[in-house]
Each structure stands twice: as C-alpha cells, then as structure tokens.
Amino acid sequence: MKRRGLREAEQRLADADYRLTPQRALILRLLFEHQGEHLSAEELHALVGRTNPEVGLATVYRTLELLTELRVLQAVDLGDGRARYELAGEDRHSHHHLLCLSCGRVEEVRDDLLERLEQSVEAEHGFAILDHQVKFVGLCRECRTRERWKDDPERGEGEGPGG
Amino acid sequence: MKRRGLREAEQRLADADYRLTPQRALILRLLFEHQGEHLSAEELHALVGRTNPEVGLATVYRTLELLTELRVLQAVDLGDGRARYELAGEDRHSHHHLLCLSCGRVEEVRDDLLERLEQSVEAEHGFAILDHQVKFVGLCRECRTRERWKDDPERGEGEGPGG
DNA sequence: GTAACTGCAAAGGATTTGCACAGTT
DNA sequence: AACTGTGCAAATCCTTTGCAGTTAC
C-alpha cells in the first residue's frame, strides 16, 4: 500500500546525489515492508542478512544515518538503549508512542491535543517548537484486560505464545 | 530551600535498608545543590571529585541507579547520548522539557494540557499511562529573539511571524 | 573512469560487572 | 564474622571510523 512511498524515498536519494546501491535499495524496501515495527539497526541487519548475508552492519548504520538525514526516516527512542527507526511522516513529525510495559508493543498516537499543547507551550514559554518526542509508558488495552500485572510483583514473565 | 528534600531522600535510603555512605551522602547533596542542571554521571563524578577524588565513576553510576530505583531521581534523555538526571517530583512525574537547539538550555514545562492529553489517550486507546516523557526541541525565547537562526539556509521560511 | 560506497575489523564512548578490600552492624 | 558498599579495571553494548577493495553512475 505504501509502495509509492518507497519510490519517493528512492527518488529522494537520487535528488540528493546519492547512489541507489543494492544495499540501500534492500534496506529501504525492508523498512517499508516492516513499517510500524520500529526496527533497530541490528534487527534490520538480521533482516537484510536473510537474503544478503554479505551486507555489513556498518552499512546498515550508515544507511540509517543517511536516510534520517534525508528525512526519510526518524529515529525514535523506545528506552531500550538502542536507536530505532520509523518512516518519517511527510507532513508532520509524529512520534507519539505508547509503549506497553507488559507486552512491549508500541502503538502510535495521533492526537490533536498535542498540537494544542504545543501552542500553549509556544505561547507561555516563547519557545519555537521545531520537533518533539512524546512517549507514554504504561499498559496497553490487552495487557490491562488480561490483568496479568497484579500477579507479578517484580517483572519477568514470558509473553510467549510462540513457545 | 529544598534542604528538606535532601533529608527525605536520605531517609528513603534508610527506609529501604540501604546505607547512607559518605559517597552516597555527597552525591545526594550535590544533586540537590545542582537541581535543574540535569547532570550526567560523568559530570556528577567530576563534581564529586572536586572534594573526593577517590570516589570512583562506577560508584556514581551505581548510586544514580539506586536513587532512580528509589524514585529519588529520574533519568531524562536530552538526546546527547548519555543519561542525565533530575530530582523526581514527589507527587507527579514531570519530565517535560524544552530543549533549545541554539544554546542548549533546558527549560521545564508544567502544563495541564498534558494531563488532558493523557486522559484522551487513555480513553481512546484504552492505554493505562504509568509514566511519560515529553520533549520539545526548538528555540528558546532568547535565541529566537536573537534571530540567529535566519542565517541558516537549511531551514529557511515556514513559521514566520517575523515577516 | 572515478568518486561514492562497501565490508571488515578495530576504535570509541557510555555504562556495567567481577573481584578483592574496606566499613558497618 | 557477615554483609554491604567501594574502587579499579576489564568487559560489554551500541555505534562510528579507517582503510583497501568494489561499484554505480
């Protein structure tokens, strides 16, 4: 569905006089195929490696950096100590994430109230907002419903249906 | 003025059966003396070293971790690749930061609209929010006034009330 | 053809950890 | 004594970088 986005992204590379190497093309494709998964460099490298084991991790890092620079990607911090990436929204910066403590899932939020908040901040602090990062940590609807939280005083639980 | 907070923090250590060692006492004191500066582990270690060069960096890290666990501190990510810390508000989680791209200053925000936003998110996503992190990146009033920004060909026009 | 790109491995910076010693209870 | 806490240094983790060989344009 977002196939067009891929073309645009490739075009943006060309427009900025960068080469569309097979590595970059593959990485870009995977990024679009795994939209919404917030892949890290290493995860992406693993994905790349499925078909092209030759591609080095450094290349993945370099490509990620390049694509971020070109505003094709945006780095997001999900609090696990590594950078994760998502496709950058065309019109608007929109990293508002709901991070579930129980299952680790990441939902995206789009809420007009945030714009309201920005306006308020700009007005009250005289601060010109260029970008933002909003992250809510808590329990998603499902985990909350499951109530598997009250049992666990500490933490560690295997959320594994895959087992 | 916030001397009482220091005592409370020390008490919290004791309550949790941790010892108030000279290192911890010093670190805690410095943390209160440098409120609002968002010190990193290494900065704090340097401060500690002014009077007690013997204290190791690892101890600072360990203390920071401990104090965070005890909710005396909160780690904040200001985007410079290292963890920074601030005293945790008693009643309310409150890391809402305005990070100025020009001078690097960090302001704190307290805005009711954020609570409104939280409620909206809880209602619409069924997500139980336990904590949040909100960071706005842009230009503070002063840097904005100085207009040292318009020189930059990168960003050009856009939001220009100055017009 | 050639500057851009890649892969590899080594380097880098922040944070953690293993371990023997020191300080408390 | 039995632990907890500390200092040091080595280890770890993510990410970057140097360099020689490769390749897209």
Side-chain angles (χ1 to χ4, degrees), chain B residues 10-29:
Chain B
E10 292 177 350
Q11 191 56 47
R12 217 175 302 188
L13 264 186
D15 289 351
D17 274 316
Y18 290 109
R19 294 183 188 162
L20 181 60
T21 65
Q23 292 91 332
R24 287 174 182 170
L26 174 55
I27 288 173
L28 221 25
R29 183 163 63 70

Side-chain angles (χ1 to χ4, degrees), chain A residues 19 21 23-24 55 59 62:
Chain A
R19 295 182 186 163
T21 64
Q23 292 92 330
R24 286 174 181 170
V55 177
T59 295
R62 281 187 281 231

Side-chain angles (χ1 to χ4, degrees), chain B residues 40-102:
Chain B
S40 68
E42 235 159 335
E43 287 166 359
L44 186 52
H45 180 236
L47 244 32
V48 166
R50 301 233 268 244
T51 60
N52 297 56
E54 300 308 308
V55 177
L57 180 55
T59 295
V60 174
Y61 272 106
R62 282 187 281 231
T63 302
L64 252 15
E65 181 188 30
L66 177 58
L67 294 176
T68 300
E69 204 170 280
L70 293 177
R71 302 259 191 280
V72 170
L73 296 180
Q74 280 193 297
V76 303
D77 166 33
L78 263 28
D80 63 345
R82 73 211 61 189
R84 293 182 171 281
Y85 295 84
E86 67 182 13
L87 295 171
E90 313 290 296
D91 33 34
R92 179 181 301 299
H93 39 233
S94 56
H95 13 214
H96 318 151
H97 298 108
L98 304 184
L99 177 55
C100 180
L101 277 176
S102 181

Side-chain angles (χ1 to χ4, degrees), chain A residues 31-95:
Chain A
L31 248 9
F32 274 87
E33 284 177 1
H34 292 257
Q35 259 190 273
E37 293 185 35
H38 298 99
L39 297 173
S40 69
E42 237 161 331
E43 286 166 358
L44 185 52
H45 180 237
L47 244 33
V48 167
R50 301 232 269 244
T51 59
N52 297 56
E54 300 308 308
V55 177
L57 180 55
T59 295
V60 174
Y61 272 105
R62 281 187 281 231
T63 302
L64 251 15
E65 181 188 29
L66 176 59
L67 294 176
T68 300
E69 202 170 283
L70 294 176
R71 304 258 191 279
V72 170
L73 295 182
Q74 280 192 298
V76 302
D77 167 33
L78 262 29
D80 63 346
R82 72 212 60 193
R84 292 182 170 282
Y85 296 83
E86 66 182 14
L87 295 171
E90 313 290 296
D91 33 34
R92 184 177 296 297
H93 40 233
S94 55
H95 12 215

Side-chain angles (χ1 to χ4, degrees), chain B residues 79-155:
Chain B
D80 63 345
R82 73 211 61 189
R84 293 182 171 281
Y85 295 84
E86 67 182 13
L87 295 171
E90 313 290 296
D91 33 34
R92 179 181 301 299
H93 39 233
S94 56
H95 13 214
H96 318 151
H97 298 108
L98 304 184
L99 177 55
C100 180
L101 277 176
S102 181
C103 66
R105 189 150 36 119
V106 178
E107 293 178 55
E108 316 255 347
V109 198
R110 183 169 317 283
D111 198 310
D112 297 328
L113 279 175
L114 187 60
E115 312 220 348
R116 219 80 67 70
L117 177 54
E118 284 200 2
Q119 287 167 19
S120 158
V121 167
E122 298 217 346
E124 288 180 28
H125 292 256
F127 192 95
I129 296 176
L130 298 175
D131 193 13
H132 61 228
Q133 278 210 39
V134 177
K135 177 170 57 175
F136 292 110
V137 183
L139 295 176
C140 69
R141 194 195 307 267
E142 291 188 10
C143 290
R144 192 186 191 182
T145 302
R146 261 182 234 135
E147 286 185 312
R148 54 164 59 172
W149 200 241
K150 48 166 51 168
D151 310 43
D152 200 326
E154 280 293 299
R155 253 176 176 53

